[in-house]
Amino acid sequence: MMITYRVAAQYLLEHVDNPLILTTAPEVDELIDALQRSSAGCNLAQLHSLDRSVLPSGSPDHELLVGVDGGRGVGVLAFMDDGNWTTLGDDIGRDEVGYSIVGHLTEFPERSEIPLDLLREAVKEFCASGGRRPACVNWQLPGCW
């Protein structure tokens, strides 16, 4: 049985007014593959579960950022709801970690990058859980946010 869900994804200019809707794990893989092939100016996606409530303003009450560095085979996640979290990788990592959505750079803390297979697992967990912070990865409270 295939698990289905509804998650809005934005990573291209065309998604600003018309988000890509992810409904299955293969579609999550397609998104991550697309980010992996993307240029450095467009290697970050913003995800919102459509299964969660919205704020009185109509804005989502949460967000998952998914960044992929295809050349290095790593990626980064940031999760926001009642706090801000970024993934915590196992090694020292780069001093300056940056990913971009539609040309807008977002900086991440050192040691925030994780292997792509773990990133895929975490994004699928976020989608299948109705937008909760994935438990399959380690998290850190970023000092720079």
Side-chain angles (χ1 to χ4, degrees), residues 75-78 85-89 109 111-114 137-140:
V76 64
L77 299 173
W85 302 87
T86 62
T87 43
L88 176 62
R111 294 188 60 206
S112 57
E113 292 174 308
I114 60 174
V137 294
N138 293 320
W139 295 95
Q140 62 182 322

Side-chain angles (χ1 to χ4, degrees), residues 28-110:
V28 169
D29 285 328
E30 289 173 18
L31 168 70
I32 293 169
D33 291 346
L35 292 172
Q36 194 171 5
R37 292 186 302 269
S38 293
S39 69
C42 194
N43 60 0
L44 182 67
Q46 180 183 62
L47 276 61
H48 299 107
S49 173
L50 299 176
D51 295 329
R52 283 185 59 158
S53 299
V54 295
L55 299 170
S57 66
S59 297
D61 70 346
H62 69 290
E63 179 173 273
L64 180 71
L65 296 178
V66 181
V68 176
D69 184 332
R72 295 182 53 245
V74 296
V76 64
L77 299 173
F79 182 79
M80 291 146 268
D81 66 358
D82 61 348
N84 295 334
W85 302 87
T86 62
T87 43
L88 176 62
D90 290 334
D91 59 14
I92 299 293
R94 298 183 287 168
D95 288 339
E96 296 180 16
V97 179
Y99 290 82
S100 296
I101 184 167
V102 192
H104 299 292
L105 179 68
T106 299
E107 294 181 357
F108 294 86
E110 183 179 339

